[in-house]
Amino acid sequence: MIIAWVVILLTLGSVLFYLVSPWQLTPLASNWGTMDTTIQITALVTGAVFVAVNLFLAWVILRYRHRAGRRADFEPENKRLEGWLTLVTGVGIAALLAPGLWVWGDFVRAPEEAHRVEVVGQQWRWSFRLPGEDGEFGRVDPRALEADNPFGLGEDPAGLDDRLVMEPRLLLPQGQPVQLRLRSKDVLHNFQVANFRAKMDLVPGQVSHFWLTPTEPGDYQVVCAELCGIAHFAMRARIEVVAPEVFEAWRDGLPTQADWLARANPDLEAGRTHYASCAACHGASGGGNAAIQAPPLAGLTPDYLYRQLELFRHGARGTHAEDGPGQQMRPFALQLPDEAAIGDVAAYIATFEPAISPPAEAGDPRRGAGLYRTCAHCHGARGEGVAATRGPPLAGLPDWYLIRQLEHFREGIRGRHADDPYGNQMVDMAQMLVNRRAVEDVVAHITRVGTGTEE
Ligand code: CUA
């Protein structure tokens, strides 16, 4: 008796919870209202079956409960009942799936006028490619993938004007249909934007695609919805839906593949000239100066230096009220006249002999080695940096600098700015260091890996 009532109450409670739950779909920001309809149909069909089956269970418990002197019947076959059940289940399943097939058909068939964006996933970041003036994507060749050819663009001249977005931030024009073409460099990922009601797998070796029309201006988060390794949770990007003019201005300012190739041939003499003003704090050969908290630059990669100089120039670094050294750095970054100069000075710095700092005195390197395992995925097992994840080298950096940066990431003094997506990722990652002691331990390890004094 009691069991039957418990089943009835659980059933009604579940329905009530579904109706009044605060966890509802996020506001819709694309044309895919039909996805919501499909979800509602699914909830309706499964909900009706859930209620019917559980109330039937309660009824059976009540109706056929034990009574003295009554015996159970054994009736293993009932053709009529099985026929009915098959029919009702079949209709239910068809009602559940058929609308989804229609919506799916629409979802993968982009309208003629849709513009196109390529989404590239890799452990653990997103990047994007837009076709240039010719409206064509250059052909890609997986064998051409290199640190300085991150999209694997082949010889195809159509690719030279392709616009490359290396930061995980994409702008889309409001009200214009866009086809997204998805490609993965390594493992399965899944591109999902909840507000667009859109998600799809990225499968290595093939290009999957869908389309949508963003309808509401705003910022939307892209998450990876496929467990793809240790930093899967940090694999995020931002999509900004803006007015078409804003989108066009942004798109036309993006570097092309040709620009990217030109960056591979920097002018080292010009870089040396620009470096003169850096040398006062960072040293003539980039060795750094602890007394004024200027970190060594020797050993850092051109890609990382370039990115950081850009962040300083755009105010995404060096503008936080509690970041004194960063504020000092910013005016110097602003002295560089243009992007070519940034590339030249970054390339010049990369010619310095890498700095080696002494091992940290504080901290327990053995505990730090355990903590560092997570960092190693992006920064390399020996802190040598990883081009594919754009994780800068850490080996050779001094303990005071590493501690300060980790503390700044932990507190959001560095890396919180909306235009610093890798910083955002690092703010998330730094939360695994729960206190000052953990920071010192991991730094004790990092300062030993590069010098061969690790335990
Ligand atoms: Cu990529 Cu999870």
Side-chain angles (χ1 to χ4, degrees), residues 365-386:
R366 219 174 308 197
R367 280 197 58 213
L371 292 167
Y372 184 76
R373 257 179 242 141
T374 304
C375 321
H377 289 276
C378 290
H379 293 282
R382 308 193 59 79
E384 72 278 24
V386 176

Side-chain angles (χ1 to χ4, degrees), residues 122 124 126 188-190 224-229 232-233 235:
Q122 71 179 83
W124 290 276
W126 301 100
L188 283 177
H189 300 278
N190 185 296
C224 177
E226 187 79 64
L227 184 58
C228 57
H232 151 74
F233 72 94
M235 185 169 169

Side-chain angles (χ1 to χ4, degrees), residues 161-182:
D161 65 350
D162 285 6
R163 299 199 174 272
L164 309 181
V165 187
M166 297 297 292
E167 316 294 311
R169 170 176 177 256
L170 174 69
L171 267 63
L172 288 178
Q174 185 192 353
Q176 294 183 5
V178 55
Q179 187 198 40
L180 295 164
R181 300 153 63 101
L182 315 172

